[in-house]
Amino acid sequence: EAGVTQFPSHSVIEKGQTVTLRCDPISGHDNLYWYRRVMGKEIKFLLHFVKESKQDESGMPNNRFLAERTGGTYSTLKVQPAELEDSGVYFCASGRASSYNEQFFGPGTRLTVL
Amino acid sequence: AQSVTQLDSHVSVSEGTPVLLRCNYSSSYSPSLFWYVQHPNKGLQLLLKYTSAATLVKGINGFEAEFKKSETSFHLTKPSAHMSDAAEYFCVVRETGNQFYFGTGTSLTVIP
């Protein structure tokens, strides 16, 4: 079975630009999570989808971040406009509906804002 | 409140010697605990998890961890390090909600 995939693997943008990160979960996984690791810090939760619905977005840092999961399959995370402090690695994870303990992670997208 | 402390940011061991990566947690409930590993340019891979069954948990690649409630610890061990074990390791806790709480990571170097 294919794992969680994320695109792009790296992105370098200027401050003020917009970037969209994509996550394709494992097929059939209703749960989809976004996490972020800022340089030198721990990986932190951003939000959680169940199918196409946002179950929990308590970790989203501010309204410059917009996550969507139209159709309940892949998800996008848009940062607009990007700021320097948004630099970091963005991870996506997916899991089946039956358990929050099951989270399969993708390789992450490394975002650098200059 | 949940939190995870990985006591060492870097650990170096010689190939063939034991590995010990330390993790302490704080939790108001009976937590689920995990260890994940990340090799360079790879995703986070689950090594093992504790979810209230046996306190000694065996994982992949010869790793194991023991849940000690009295010490609030979940240290990761391996009897004999291999070069391929060089990676970053994350201790993770989950209580009742959907969020994983990560430690800051321990970078393991294996010296030939």
Side-chain angles (χ1 to χ4, degrees):
Chain A
E1 132 185 294
V4 176
T5 58
Q6 294 187 244
F7 182 82
S9 56
H10 294 82
S11 181
V12 181
I13 60 172
E14 300 278 338
K15 175 183 172 181
Q17 290 185 322
T18 297
V19 63
T20 300
L21 314 181
R22 174 172 169 142
C23 169
D24 285 80
I26 294 170
S27 178
H29 283 189
D30 287 341
N31 288 316
L32 188 149
Y33 310 82
W34 283 97
Y35 291 82
R36 176 175 76 166
R37 188 182 194 190
V38 172
M39 183 70 72
K41 300 289 184 72
E42 67 272 28
I43 299 169
K44 284 192 173 181
F45 171 85
L46 295 178
L47 86 159
H48 170 211
F49 284 98
V50 177
K51 297 184 179 178
E52 67 276 9
S53 299
K54 290 177 187 173
Q55 182 81 5
D56 180 357
E57 50 184 333
S58 61
M60 294 286 265
N62 53 61
N63 60 10
R64 295 185 293 102
F65 289 75
L66 175 64
E68 295 180 323
R69 194 183 181 196
T70 307
T73 54
Y74 71 91
S75 174
T76 58
L77 179 65
K78 181 191 289 188
V79 185
Q80 180 182 29
E83 298 288 346
L84 299 179
E85 64 264 25
D86 301 331
S87 295
V89 181
Y90 291 76
F91 293 98
C92 176
S94 73
R96 289 174 291 188
S98 56
S99 173
Y100 292 143
N101 278 340
E102 181 185 79
Q103 297 192 23
F104 296 92
F105 283 80
T109 293
R110 181 174 295 278
L111 174 63
T112 302
V113 183
L114 302 176
Chain B
Q2 304 163 81
S3 70
V4 181
T5 302
Q6 291 186 243
L7 296 153
D8 307 292
S9 57
H10 299 278
V11 170
S12 290
V13 300
S14 297
E15 189 176 17
T17 65
V19 176
L20 170 64
L21 304 183
R22 299 182 293 166
C23 173
N24 286 94
Y25 69 92
S26 67
S27 173
S28 304
Y29 302 91
S30 296
S32 297
L33 293 158
F34 311 80
W35 276 97
Y36 279 82
V37 60
Q38 186 180 24
H39 289 91
N41 301 316
K42 301 284 188 180
L44 292 159
Q45 180 185 20
L46 178 66
L47 275 178
L48 48 82
K49 64 181 176 183
Y50 166 79
T51 56
S52 78
T55 57
L56 182 62
V57 182
K58 294 189 183 299
I60 62 171
N61 300 334
F63 285 95
E64 62 182 39
E66 187 172 6
F67 173 67
K68 292 188 177 180
K69 187 174 181 178
S70 61
E71 299 176 9
T72 61
S73 69
F74 190 59
H75 301 335
L76 181 70
T77 60
K78 182 174 180 177
S80 176
H82 191 271
M83 294 299 295
S84 60
D85 295 328
E88 190 163 20
Y89 292 78
F90 296 92
C91 183
V92 180
V93 65
R94 188 187 76 81
E95 278 190 352
T96 56
N98 55 358
Q99 300 182 23
F100 276 11
Y101 290 84
F102 284 78
T104 50
T106 298
S107 177
L108 176 66
T109 299
V110 182
I111 303 165

